Amino acid sequence: MLTGYTSTGGLSEAEQMRVAWRLPGVPPLLEVAGRNTAGNAACSLPIVLALGGIREATVVTSAWHVRAPYMFA
């Protein structure tokens, strides 16, 4: 799942990552409603739950988001 919003009216962060997506046969899921890191997590959870059967997720972030683990707790 690729997450990220835009406030500029251009491509969202999620859509920008989709452009660079390079896993053939693996369609990316996009979440574009969250306005910040915590919002991305909160908006992603219902999507993950709706898929069913997912028991584990790996969060990939950057050093800029070093506080992210506390938001996901």
Side-chain angles (χ1 to χ4, degrees), residues 1-7 11-19 21 27-48 51 57-62 64-65 68 71-72:
M1 177 173 300
L2 307 174
T3 68
Y5 171 72
T6 181
S7 61
L11 290 178
S12 68
E13 292 172 337
E15 292 166 325
Q16 291 174 51
M17 289 184 280
R18 180 180 55 193
V19 170
W21 189 254
L29 295 173
L30 274 63
E31 181 287 303
V32 298
R35 302 286 199 264
N36 54 39
T37 303
N40 293 144
C43 292
S44 295
L45 181 58
I47 298 169
V48 170
L51 293 170
T58 301
V59 176
V60 179
T61 188
S62 68
W64 190 86
H65 289 102
M71 294 181 185
F72 291 107

